[in-house]
Amino acid sequence: MKNKIENILNDLDQQGWSVQKQFFPTELLRELSQTLLLFRQQGILNQAGVGRKEGFHIEQSIRSDEISWFDEENLNEAQKKYLSITKELQDEVNQRFYLGLFELEVHFALYSPNAFYKRHLDQHKNQDTRVLTLITYLNENWKDDDGGELQIYLKNGQTVSVSPRSGTVVCFFSAEFEHEVLPAKRERASLTGWFRKRR
Ligand code: OGA
Ligand code: MN
């Protein structure tokens, strides 16, 4: 795990973003994927919105995924394990970049076939506590032809395209990179979170 974290830190240092394959153990990814399917059965996935507090609204022309936030009072073993590994990453990031990150707020996201999330930035207006975005994909046997790529728009005009394969992790500075989720032919599952600093 230490080496994999080191790879992310070096990428963040050099380019502000990182894509790692096989970051989390396969078994954990399976358990997380099962947790998400269970949440769907239990009806605790909600149509995702945009904006925060009074500004919050459902905007299906911008995003059409369904989400479920981690509930601190109610975490299963897989979720706890996920948070313990991401805490290691958080600690290393803090040591290296002095960012004062103190928590990961994270939700499951399920995109139905053809669902999308248009080009956007992860920081809410007038609120810069989201510092670092961390996305983990949970889709086994994903084929290139299935679509659903995450497109990351770099400042030099280039685009990085990431297939949402199980085990792949994407990490980038939230304020710096616009990105977009393209429609897929299959259902597309992920965990998306933000390491936050205090105001
Ligand atoms: C988000 C997001 C990307 C993805 O939830 O803000 O950009 O690939 N997700 O799921
Ligand atoms: Mn985003």
Side-chain angles (χ1 to χ4, degrees):
M1 193 48 71
K2 262 262 182 308
N3 286 342
K4 294 178 184 179
I5 290 178
E6 190 63 25
N7 289 341
I8 294 185
L9 297 188
N10 289 337
D11 284 346
L12 289 178
D13 198 15
Q14 284 157 27
Q15 57 194 22
W17 58 275
S18 181
V19 178
Q20 299 293 323
K21 292 179 177 164
Q22 298 309 326
F23 185 75
F24 293 99
T26 310
E27 194 49 41
L28 174 61
L29 296 166
R30 274 203 194 114
E31 284 163 18
L32 289 165
S33 161
Q34 280 159 10
T35 303
L36 171 55
L37 298 181
L38 185 70
F39 284 1
R40 179 191 16 217
Q41 277 175 18
Q42 294 172 341
I44 48 180
L45 292 184
N46 296 308
Q47 186 68 55
V50 290
R52 230 182 153 81
K53 298 205 177 124
E54 309 84 67
F56 178 91
H57 58 290
I58 305 292
E59 188 65 81
Q60 285 200 312
S61 58
I62 298 177
R63 68 186 295 190
S64 50
D65 56 326
E66 289 184 294
I67 66 170
S68 176
W69 289 99
F70 274 31
D71 170 5
E72 267 178 59
E73 321 273 88
N74 246 317
L75 298 170
N76 70 15
E77 288 310 308
Q79 290 173 294
K80 284 181 192 161
K81 178 82 184 151
Y82 185 79
L83 291 179
S84 82
I85 295 175
T86 56
K87 176 72 165 51
E88 275 184 60
L89 174 60
Q90 176 182 297
D91 290 345
E92 296 291 329
V93 167
N94 279 337
Q95 275 192 35
R96 176 96 154 237
F97 303 106
Y98 306 104
L99 291 173
L101 307 177
F102 76 102
E103 71 161 4
L104 180 73
E105 56 170 10
V106 53
H107 64 57
F108 284 107
L110 194 61
Y111 290 71
S112 302
N114 300 318
F116 53 81
Y117 194 160
K118 297 273 193 219
R119 184 167 173 161
H120 67 281
L121 206 57
D122 279 347
Q123 284 198 351
H124 292 298
K125 280 200 183 92
N126 308 320
Q127 183 182 338
D128 63 354
T129 59
R130 288 181 169 183
V131 175
L132 195 63
T133 301
L134 183 73
I135 307 166
T136 302
Y137 296 110
L138 302 174
N139 309 291
E140 289 192 50
N141 306 315
W142 195 269
K143 314 265 184 320
D144 285 344
D145 183 51
D146 290 328
E149 294 89 353
L150 171 72
Q151 307 273 69
I152 309 171
Y153 299 102
L154 307 184
K155 296 199 183 91
N156 63 9
Q158 286 182 338
T159 304
V160 178
S161 184
V162 184
S163 244
R165 281 200 181 82
S166 188
T168 298
V169 161
V170 180
C171 189
F172 55 83
F173 286 111
S174 309
E176 292 182 27
F177 299 96
E178 291 192 351
H179 52 283
E180 166 169 18
V181 178
L182 301 181
K185 292 183 183 166
R186 285 172 51 184
E187 201 167 67
R188 177 191 190 275
S190 62
L191 276 167
T192 303
W194 297 272
F195 290 108
R196 296 176 56 224
K197 64 176 184 191
R198 295 178 203 280
R199 266 187 189 283

